[in-house]
Amino acid sequence: MSRAFLCAVCLLVLATAAASVSPPQAETEAERQARMKWWTEARFGMFIHWGLYALPARHEWVRSRERMSDEAYAKYFAHFDPDLYDPHEWARAARLAGMKYFVVTTKHHEGFCLWDSKLTDYKATRTPCGKDLIKPLVEAMRAEGLRVGFYHSLLDWHHPDYTIDVYHPMRDDKAFIEKAKTRDLDKYVDYLFAQLKELLTEFGRIDTLFLDFSFPGPKGKGRNEWKSERLLKMIRELQPGIIVNDRLDLLDVPGGWDFRTPEQFMPREWVSVDGRPVPWETCQTFSGSWGYDRDEPTWKSVPQLVAMLIETVSKGGNLLLNVGPTGRGTFDARAVDRLQGIGAWMEKNGRSIYGCTQAPADLPRPANCLLTYNPGTERLYVHVLEWPLGILALDGFAGRVEYAQLLHDASEVAFTEKGGEAGFMPGSRGKEAGNTLTLRLPVRKPDVEVPVIELFLKRR
Ligand code: GLC
């Protein structure tokens, strides 16, 4: 056989293999938008990080940070007993905060499983807890009207075939590394596939999946190690409507992800890929930790969190806000306080969040304000972060507004435009510039965290 012929055969084999593993994405743009519609309109979800790390209560990475061995970490498994766990209470808290979906850690990097997986004994049912924690949560959340999401860790610091990498807790232990040389990552990856199959077949419809994470390169793991394309193909076959995040290391593969996931920071503008704005969801913590962290002091305030939600939507994104429940199975007082504070604001102002997105480019943002826009109702929302004295001038808005009101109590906001009087106090009178619309506001800031002015735009 000639070498050229052999090469051609090899190429053919490679090409078929590549084609058969790529994710099924014969979807049109309109179909993709329809699949993601509920998610785009929901805008606000609850992330839940729960696992054995709730007991040390000093960050979910504690095992890796402190280089803890399996034996050292075993005490948390032996004492895991969330006796106050009431999933209905969690679901209610999420709904009252205004959240429309939730994403719970089925397994975090520590490898501990919250559901009753048939593939391991490293699970909640084998601890003093003795219960599957995921099934009742899924049911309770659905009963409160929330969509269901699973977070699943690609990493696994407990599995006997998971190879030692830059993040592994035993990465500095030479004797351990030597012994671990016989580990077979493929066996772990089979386990990963099989566990995801359980999760995607035993809990009904799963709306969104958050896989975490890839770190390709020397001593790392990425698409080749996880067999990401095959994994994603399986996921989409098992749950055709599912919305999947972007951490499988398939950013350059068509259909390899549904949304980007900026974590713990606020993007400066609508997140884009190759110059195109894309769906995105930022995940954020109340404090600096995802897992319950007793002594973490940097908790964000309610006004900060409300502003974070508004800013996210004003840039076309979703906010997934995290709660780290305690080892007793409760949301701690600080989390309850923040959820209630956001909920109080959302109850009256949710209309400026749900179904909303970035404002049209020809309506510029006034100083100290954030804008959102509902393209269906053609209403624009002005979120006033710093309450001004008596008037708010909106340059570029003249001729565009039919009616204005404060959102929380539907009280009319009077306005003048195009040559009206800009000021109402002696000495500050002056004619407006041609394109300015001036809102006349009460001097006293309304009693809501961030007041919102709802502008009914003229239909064009
Ligand atoms: C990170 C961390 C992790 C957390 C996650 C949330 O990748 O590894 O602890 O679960 O981000 O997005």
Side-chain angles (χ1 to χ4, degrees), residues 47 49 60-61 108-109 151 210 212-213 247 263 283 290:
F47 217 172
H49 274 68
E60 75 285 353
W61 274 65
H108 202 262
H109 310 333
Y151 164 109
F210 195 115
D212 196 34
F213 61 88
R247 297 192 182 173
E263 173 182 325
C283 45
W290 301 89

Side-chain angles (χ1 to χ4, degrees), residues 16-28:
T16 346
S20 65
V21 294
S22 53
Q25 275 293 340
E27 213 180 24
T28 63

Side-chain angles (χ1 to χ4, degrees), residues 2-76:
S2 79
R3 274 178 64 179
F5 178 74
L6 273 177
C7 284
V9 171
C10 287
L11 278 176
L12 192 72
V13 169
L14 280 176
T16 346
S20 65
V21 294
S22 53
Q25 275 293 340
E27 213 180 24
T28 63
E29 177 56 20
E31 283 165 346
R32 190 189 63 77
Q33 283 183 18
R35 178 166 59 84
M36 296 191 65
K37 185 168 185 283
W38 75 263
W39 183 90
T40 312
E41 289 178 352
R43 286 303 183 214
F44 189 28
M46 176 181 277
F47 217 172
I48 302 174
H49 274 68
W50 202 29
L52 298 179
Y53 44 79
L55 298 193
R58 48 182 194 272
H59 203 278
E60 75 285 353
W61 274 65
V62 61
R63 209 190 136 188
S64 171
R65 287 182 173 183
E66 299 181 14
R67 316 287 196 272
M68 288 166 90
S69 65
D70 252 317
E71 297 70 39
Y73 205 65
K75 65 182 172 208
Y76 304 123

Side-chain angles (χ1 to χ4, degrees), residues 283-448:
C283 45
Q284 304 276 357
T285 52
F286 285 139
S287 67
S289 173
W290 301 89
Y292 176 62
D293 194 325
R294 184 188 57 205
D295 305 328
E296 157 64 60
T298 62
W299 279 66
K300 298 169 187 85
S301 67
V302 170
Q304 243 179 330
L305 292 161
V306 168
M308 181 192 269
L309 173 60
I310 300 164
E311 186 167 355
T312 303
V313 179
S314 80
K315 295 170 180 174
N318 281 20
L319 173 63
L320 189 63
L321 189 56
N322 180 74
V323 181
T326 69
R328 297 294 300 277
T330 55
F331 291 177
D332 83 318
R334 295 164 296 185
V336 170
D337 170 72
R338 304 312 190 274
L339 289 171
Q340 285 174 350
I342 299 168
W345 185 84
M346 283 295 279
E347 190 189 358
K348 303 219 169 74
N349 299 288
R351 210 148 89 198
S352 73
I353 299 294
Y354 305 128
C356 289
T357 185
Q358 185 166 294
D362 61 339
L363 295 174
R365 171 161 86 103
N368 301 323
C369 295
L370 288 167
L371 301 180
T372 65
Y373 173 64
N374 186 320
T377 60
E378 295 185 43
R379 295 184 198 176
L380 190 100
Y381 297 94
V382 184
H383 301 80
V384 189
L385 302 176
E386 280 293 325
W387 195 248
L389 190 63
I391 58 164
L392 181 65
L394 304 177
D395 293 328
F397 280 63
R400 301 290 300 273
V401 176
E402 165 197 304
Y403 186 75
Q405 63 181 8
L406 282 167
L407 179 56
H408 70 282
D409 66 353
S411 62
E412 182 179 7
V413 173
F415 59 87
T416 56
E417 51 187 351
K418 281 195 185 149
E421 287 180 351
F424 304 96
M425 296 291 287
S428 73
R429 282 171 185 274
K431 294 284 183 202
E432 289 164 332
N435 64 359
T436 302
L437 179 144
T438 306
L439 299 168
R440 189 172 185 170
L441 298 174
V443 168
R444 195 170 171 278
K445 180 191 166 196
D447 194 18
V448 268

